[in-house]
Amino acid sequence: MEGIIKKYREFLPIKDDSKIITLNEGNTPLIRTSRLRDYINRGIDLYLKYEGLNPSGSFKDRGMTVAISKALEEGSKAVICASTGNTSASAAAYAAKGGLKAYVLIPKGKIALGKLSQAMMHGAVVIQLDGNFDEALKIVRDVSGKRPITMVNSLNPYRIEGQKTAAFEICDQLGSVPTFHSLPVGNAGNITAYWKGFKEYKSCGRISSLPKMIGFQAEGAAPIVRGKIIKAPETVATAIRIGNPASWKQAEAARDESGGTIDMVSDEEIINAYQLIARYEGIFCEPASAASVAGVIKLNKEGYFKKGDSIVCTLTGHGLKDPESAIKISGEPITLPPEVDKILEILEL
Ligand SMILES: *Cc1c(COP(=O)(O)O)cnc(C)c1O
């Protein structure tokens, strides 16, 4: 099936005759871990939903196919968003496919290089602000009220509609419902979307129970955990470097209705998980994505999980988006002259 709208149309606000803009997003793998699971806790079942394999390399594509298709249906000529990087990459790609103009506002110097290259390559007008994501979002909300331009941040309800399809896919792939679903939390649109998706699948009888939602913010950008707006959020996980989440209330509702939790993890814990996922499972995700696994490691140490629990962690974006973070923690490659003896010396065999 090409894309999430065709696959899950009955759950989406798309008219049958509307033109669909898709890049064949969705249908990403749900990977059962082995070595990572053994490292964390042999008594649990741990899966990774690898959203980095979407067309632009993050889950944002699920929401963007719906948001851009609706923008076209409504006669819009241009879209605008504030972004920590992946929303701009996705908006630029889908706008290109749909023939719309895209404007993206990003915090200067705080987005991963791969994401910036995507937005520029797809022809978006990229505006760097000497400010953070929260300030950029405020401006975008203002501007979209003053000009005929569609805002495609997750405040746009069609984004949430598209993103909820990841929850459907997980249930379809697993053939059941996980005990826990773990996500990184930034602007909190995704945790809101997954919870909506799980609830809708239950109300139509496709599943009979609901997972507990567990979300993780970075310690330096944890407004929900701390119960107050963070004016100057800071974390290596730039995709969740947000101090005043737009879907704050909805994230708390997902946590409370499901009986889950929203907690925080340190940059050190995020980087550790980022490396473990790559080295134990062969999966390269970006730092923010690893917050979902870092959180599971943290809660596991506190005895949060029971034997037999199944946990799905969403890996929200692809590691190649941010090669600088990967290289920074991996050290220098070994440099040698082109001689067999020198190579044999370093093989620990
Ligand atoms: C956008 C994004 C997040 C945060 O998602 P929210 O919906 O803002 O909570 C996490 N990880 C990656 C890679 C992202 O692009």
Side-chain angles (χ1 to χ4, degrees):
M1 209 69 89
E2 317 97 74
I4 59 129
I5 295 180
K6 271 203 173 151
K7 177 116 190 262
Y8 295 110
R9 182 171 224 143
E10 63 195 288
F11 296 94
L12 296 170
I14 295 279
K15 289 185 200 139
D16 285 344
D17 57 355
S18 53
K19 188 167 176 223
I20 293 170
I21 304 303
T22 180
L23 294 170
N24 293 13
E25 62 293 319
N27 195 22
T28 57
L30 181 69
I31 299 159
R32 189 176 196 180
T33 65
S34 48
R35 299 185 65 212
L36 182 62
R37 190 278 311 266
D38 289 350
Y39 169 84
I40 298 173
N41 178 346
R42 284 173 181 263
I44 60 171
D45 212 358
L46 182 68
Y47 296 86
L48 305 173
K49 179 68 170 161
Y50 192 17
E51 289 287 276
L53 293 189
N54 275 299
S56 86
S58 85
F59 74 85
K60 301 296 199 299
D61 294 345
R62 291 179 185 274
M64 211 52 79
T65 183
V66 183
I68 298 290
S69 297
K70 292 302 280 188
L72 268 181
E73 184 186 304
E74 289 158 7
S76 187
K77 299 273 181 285
V79 297
I80 188 167
C81 66
S83 180
T84 57
N86 282 329
T87 299
S88 66
S90 184
Y94 282 81
K97 179 82 176 175
L100 292 170
K101 202 163 172 89
Y103 297 90
V104 306
L105 273 68
I106 56 172
K108 185 164 177 239
K110 295 290 183 183
I111 87 164
L113 212 54
K115 305 176 189 181
L116 180 62
S117 74
Q118 288 177 286
M120 298 182 76
M121 196 64 192
H122 292 303
V125 177
V126 178
I127 303 156
Q128 305 198 72
L129 296 184
D130 267 322
N132 61 34
F133 171 84
D134 303 287
E135 291 166 302
L137 182 59
K138 202 154 169 283
I139 292 170
V140 162
R141 293 175 81 159
D142 232 21
V143 168
S144 62
K146 293 194 164 101
R147 291 285 184 277
I149 184 166
T150 305
M151 181 184 61
V152 292
N153 280 101
S154 56
L155 285 160
N156 178 324
Y158 300 128
R159 282 274 312 278
I160 304 291
E161 290 300 309
Q163 284 171 212
K164 78 186 178 190
T165 61
F168 300 162
E169 267 177 29
I170 287 165
C171 299
D172 292 344
Q173 289 170 315
L174 209 54
S176 65
V177 180
T179 324
F180 293 93
H181 189 91
S182 177
L183 288 158
V185 175
N187 215 22
N190 214 25
I191 192 168
T192 301
Y194 270 81
W195 183 234
K196 187 170 197 286
F198 285 123
K199 283 194 296 186
E200 287 183 13
Y201 239 33
K202 180 158 183 279
S203 14
C204 74
R206 300 234 186 159
I207 53 174
S208 53
S209 63
L210 292 167
K212 293 182 171 63
M213 303 298 293
I214 53 180
F216 299 95
Q217 301 191 296
E219 265 181 17
I224 299 175
V225 180
R226 297 183 193 278
K228 61 169 201 280
I229 292 170
I230 308 298
K231 287 230 172 59
E234 229 13 288
T235 168
V236 285
T238 50
I240 52 170
R241 185 175 169 272
I242 291 173
N244 187 12
S247 300
W248 188 322
K249 287 278 164 304
Q250 295 91 320
E252 288 181 335
R255 173 195 66 193
D256 298 340
E257 289 170 29
S258 73
T261 186
I262 295 179
D263 202 342
M264 58 187 177
V265 284
S266 68
D267 277 4
E268 205 186 324
E269 289 170 312
I270 289 172
I271 292 300
N272 181 49
Y274 174 52
Q275 210 160 38
L276 288 173
I277 298 160
R279 297 192 174 183
Y280 281 160
E281 296 299 328
I283 298 171
F284 192 16
C285 66
E286 61 175 285
S289 307
S292 62
V293 171
V296 167
I297 294 173
K298 179 181 174 183
L299 293 188
N300 181 67
K301 283 185 185 143
E302 297 167 4
Y304 189 79
F305 303 111
K306 290 199 308 288
K307 197 169 180 348
D309 280 347
S310 57
I311 308 161
V312 175
C313 295
T314 297
L315 299 182
T316 44
H318 201 292
L320 286 174
K321 291 201 170 244
D322 189 5
E324 288 173 312
S325 288
I327 290 169
K328 207 159 129 196
I329 62 162
S330 300
E332 292 285 312
I334 301 163
T335 307
L336 285 177
E339 292 163 26
V340 172
D341 285 350
K342 297 282 183 206
I343 309 295
L344 288 175
E345 257 170 50
I346 65 125
L347 297 181
E348 293 160 352
L349 300 168

